[in-house]
Amino acid sequence: MSEQLEIKELDQVVVRFSGDSGDGMQLAGNIFSTVSATVGNGISTFPDYPADIRAPQGSLTGVSGFQVHIGQGKVYTPGDLCDVLVAMNAAALKTQYRYAKPQATIIIDTDSFGPSDLKKANFQTPDYLGEMGIDPDRVVACPLTKMVKDCLADSGMDNKAVLKCRNMFALGLVCWLFNRDLSLVANFLREKFAKKPAIAENNIKVVQAGYDYGHNVHASVPSTYRIETKEKVKGRYMDITGNKATAYGLIAAAEKAGLKLYLGSYPITPATDILHELSKHKSCGVITVQCEDEISGCASAIGAAFAGALAATSTSGPGICLKSEAMNLAVIDELPLVIIDVQRGGPSTGLPTKSEQTDLLQALYGRNGESPMPVIAATSPTNCFDAVYAACKIALEHLTPVILLTDAYVANGSAAWKLPTMEELPTIRPHYVTPEQKGNYTPYERDPETKVRYWAIPGMEGYTHIIGGLEKDGKTGAISTNPENHDLMCRLRAEKVAKIPVPDVEVSGDDDAELLIVGFGGTYGHLYSAMEELRQAGHRVALAHFQFINPLPANTATVLKKYKKVVVAEQNLGQFASYLRSKVDGFTPYQYNEVKGQPFVVAELVKAFEEIING
């Protein structure tokens, strides 16, 4: 290797792939993430999809990005800025350079920087690097398209198919930069294209060509990177997205409870992958139905719950609006139902491929009448498994619908996940009827301590009953318009939810913190990283991050009132802060709010929190 090549030994590195929607940046990023997780690196990814459907080729609005942060140990965020940026065309460089560090290595396909490409990307001069203030010494400029065409000249593939392999050349070059084992890439491609082996082998050939290109021209590459791996806990690991982890959590909960799993759903970005993944697992007793609309998706799941299944429905914010009437039916019938809301930018169609936390108050209050419902928020892609498992456990043991809030960031993002064994998972005991109730069962007879009604499955002899949307007498189960009975039933349903035991909120950081950071859901990694940077700078800071929203942990008030300064940081205009103020008397926090459709930037959090500390 040439002495001119600088090898950077770092604890962590961020890589961002970018190009047109059809350039395969998500696939290239996913493969690189999987390979990195396989060799033991910690990873965190952020797929950044364009909202446009089939945007014009080379347009600024059609750029698709995939960012991955790899590190020696646990990685909490996809990173603020990247060390390596792959820009497959002029539009990608124009829109994605803002996410690169000043000293970043930039890989570009010079064949996609012609006059028409520059015009589409709104460059004013042919000197696109100078126009953007980019140091040419940091750029690996290669005729990528031409080299891919040369590599596959004898493949028999048509020009369109050949161009689809450009992403693999870029991947090969990045693999060389990080000294990745190409056999792992080859295994991934052969598995993905198992039914099309010729395509797999041609892509593997292009990956090798990209790797060889990096090796042959290393004198012109600014630097390569080495990420050593810390010793990890033994076990079976995989790179998993939040949506896939959610699907696996549902399957595991059904298996643990001894029930069939039913998902009634309607496709909606960014939740559709849950339906797709579950539909692959019929051998596990999973039943999936793609319904004609959001309402029927939820209503069919309620029917499955009535029939004795672990029932779930998945959607995003607009779908929650549509499902709300059916969700209320599950509330008054007190049936176990898991409602998964993968939050996206709103209102209305809004930013369908972007991430927000703006459905919180809708989840808590967005139904008619007194309609209490437990709400849980997943904190990371891998935590989606645990969060949905907890939602299933609560639904089955407390006979209530439960909302799980994820968001586009954690749902599409991925991380290295250690697969649990079934023995490690908590038990799930559905609150079934008892033999003593046979012959005199009424549907709203309750456990005196938990206020949970007893679950009888239709067809059980001696447990005949009727439930429905009209209010029922708490003793007989007959339809009732009695004012006192309705008041009692509303209070009992609320008390049942309030009595659900949830873990205390944990506080990390300094016991004597001058600032407590408070967040919920998918912002955990960014807020934790901001806390650690502030502590390294000499500040005393702590973090209380909430996963259980309703009911709140029992120690919530104690934690929030312990610190002189508290800031609630969330990706909305203050919904969680407002909720906490309504639940904790005298709580008056600072607020940090963004609604940009993008994850928090740790550096911006640190700056804002320092101002609060010093102010």
Side-chain angles (χ1 to χ4, degrees), residues 510-573:
D510 299 303
D511 288 337
D512 60 342
E514 51 194 329
L515 177 68
L516 175 70
I517 303 167
V518 174
F520 79 96
T523 58
Y524 171 75
H526 294 83
L527 297 180
Y528 183 88
S529 299
M531 177 194 72
E532 286 297 292
E533 287 196 21
L534 287 165
R535 295 179 70 205
Q536 290 169 12
H539 297 292
R540 301 190 312 280
V541 186
L543 171 65
H545 203 83
F546 287 78
Q547 179 168 43
F548 293 90
I549 310 299
N550 188 37
L552 284 167
N555 68 333
T556 297
T558 302
V559 168
L560 296 183
K561 289 185 173 182
K562 178 181 177 181
Y563 302 89
K564 185 176 181 180
K565 291 183 177 181
V566 181
V567 58
V568 180
E570 49 189 320
Q571 290 183 309
N572 55 49
L573 296 181

Side-chain angles (χ1 to χ4, degrees), residues 243-443:
N243 275 340
K244 181 176 280 191
T246 301
Y248 285 3
L250 289 168
I251 295 171
E255 177 73 19
K256 198 74 172 181
L259 300 175
K260 284 189 175 295
L261 173 64
Y262 176 91
L263 180 82
S265 188
Y266 180 78
I268 183 172
T269 302
T272 308
D273 286 341
I274 299 171
L275 171 62
H276 289 169
E277 183 61 37
L278 287 176
S279 67
K280 302 175 185 177
H281 297 285
K282 294 182 177 65
S283 62
C284 297
V286 178
I287 302 168
T288 56
V289 176
Q290 179 176 320
C291 299
E292 65 269 25
D293 54 41
E294 295 282 7
I295 302 170
S296 57
C298 188
S300 68
I302 292 171
F306 179 65
L310 171 54
T313 186
S314 55
T315 188
S316 187
I320 292 291
C321 293
L322 292 165
K323 293 179 190 290
S324 61
E325 182 180 2
M327 289 162 61
N328 253 1
L329 177 60
V331 170
I332 199 167
D333 284 350
E334 299 185 53
L335 286 169
L337 173 68
V338 177
I339 302 129
I340 301 154
D341 177 6
V342 186
Q343 299 169 94
R344 71 187 205 186
S348 188
T349 308
L351 307 174
T353 62
K354 309 302 180 183
S355 185
E356 287 180 3
Q357 294 183 300
T358 46
D359 294 350
L360 177 62
L361 294 183
Q362 178 180 220
L364 289 166
Y365 304 119
R367 295 168 296 281
N368 71 292
E370 292 292 338
S371 188
M373 198 177 291
V375 177
I376 299 173
T379 60
S380 70
T382 56
N383 178 253
C384 286
F385 178 93
D386 299 309
V388 78
Y389 189 93
C392 294
K393 180 177 172 68
I394 289 173
L396 291 169
E397 294 185 346
H398 295 270
L399 273 282
T400 178
V402 181
I403 293 179
L404 172 66
L405 295 175
T406 70
D407 56 62
Y409 163 63
V410 298
N412 292 323
S414 67
W417 180 57
K418 179 179 177 292
L419 277 70
T421 63
M422 289 301 294
E423 292 74 22
E424 295 171 336
L425 298 175
T427 58
I428 298 178
R429 297 185 178 91
H431 198 248
Y432 290 125
V433 290
T434 65
E436 292 75 23
Q437 293 171 297
K438 185 175 182 180
N440 59 0
Y441 170 73
T442 59

Side-chain angles (χ1 to χ4, degrees), residues 399 431-434 436-445 453-457 460 462-467 475-477:
L399 273 282
H431 198 248
Y432 290 125
V433 290
T434 65
E436 292 75 23
Q437 293 171 297
K438 185 175 182 180
N440 59 0
Y441 170 73
T442 59
Y444 295 106
E445 182 180 349
R453 81 174 188 92
Y454 294 90
W455 192 19
I457 309 304
M460 295 176 65
Y463 297 93
T464 303
H465 65 285
I466 299 172
I467 57 176
K475 294 182 178 179
T476 67

Side-chain angles (χ1 to χ4, degrees), residues 94-332:
K94 186 71 170 285
T95 59
Q96 305 299 299
Y97 181 64
R98 61 183 293 193
Y99 301 115
K101 296 177 181 177
Q103 70 276 21
T105 298
I106 301 172
I107 300 170
I108 65 171
D109 177 10
T110 54
D111 292 331
S112 297
F113 281 77
S116 63
D117 302 305
L118 296 176
K119 184 177 180 181
K120 290 178 185 177
N122 291 339
F123 281 102
Q124 305 303 311
T125 67
D127 181 17
Y128 49 88
L129 295 180
E131 190 174 322
M132 295 190 68
I134 299 175
D135 181 357
D137 291 339
R138 310 305 304 176
V139 178
V140 182
C142 59
L144 194 150
T145 298
K146 180 179 182 301
M147 287 187 285
V148 171
K149 288 181 177 179
D150 292 344
C151 177
L152 297 177
D154 300 327
S155 67
M157 299 170 66
D158 59 42
N159 187 62
K160 185 177 181 180
V162 168
L163 292 179
K164 286 185 176 180
C165 297
R166 294 164 63 241
N167 60 334
M168 292 297 102
F169 191 98
L171 174 63
L173 181 50
V174 171
C175 285
W176 178 79
L177 280 174
F178 292 89
N179 194 30
R180 292 303 189 220
D181 184 353
L182 291 193
S183 66
L184 298 175
V185 179
N187 292 340
F188 184 103
L189 289 169
R190 289 187 177 117
E191 182 177 343
K192 179 174 179 61
F193 297 107
K195 296 181 180 179
K196 300 178 180 179
I199 291 179
E201 296 308 316
N202 284 327
N203 276 281
I204 292 169
K205 184 178 180 182
V206 174
V207 172
Q208 185 67 57
Y211 190 95
D212 293 342
Y213 175 83
H215 178 75
N216 293 335
V217 301
H218 57 69
S220 66
V221 177
S223 58
T224 61
Y225 303 88
R226 180 179 298 139
I227 304 290
E228 300 294 342
T229 301
K230 291 182 179 179
E231 186 175 345
K232 302 203 45 111
V233 178
K234 288 184 178 180
R236 185 181 178 189
Y237 286 81
M238 65 182 294
D239 175 21
I240 195 168
T241 65
N243 275 340
K244 181 176 280 191
T246 301
Y248 285 3
L250 289 168
I251 295 171
E255 177 73 19
K256 198 74 172 181
L259 300 175
K260 284 189 175 295
L261 173 64
Y262 176 91
L263 180 82
S265 188
Y266 180 78
I268 183 172
T269 302
T272 308
D273 286 341
I274 299 171
L275 171 62
H276 289 169
E277 183 61 37
L278 287 176
S279 67
K280 302 175 185 177
H281 297 285
K282 294 182 177 65
S283 62
C284 297
V286 178
I287 302 168
T288 56
V289 176
Q290 179 176 320
C291 299
E292 65 269 25
D293 54 41
E294 295 282 7
I295 302 170
S296 57
C298 188
S300 68
I302 292 171
F306 179 65
L310 171 54
T313 186
S314 55
T315 188
S316 187
I320 292 291
C321 293
L322 292 165
K323 293 179 190 290
S324 61
E325 182 180 2
M327 289 162 61
N328 253 1
L329 177 60
V331 170
I332 199 167

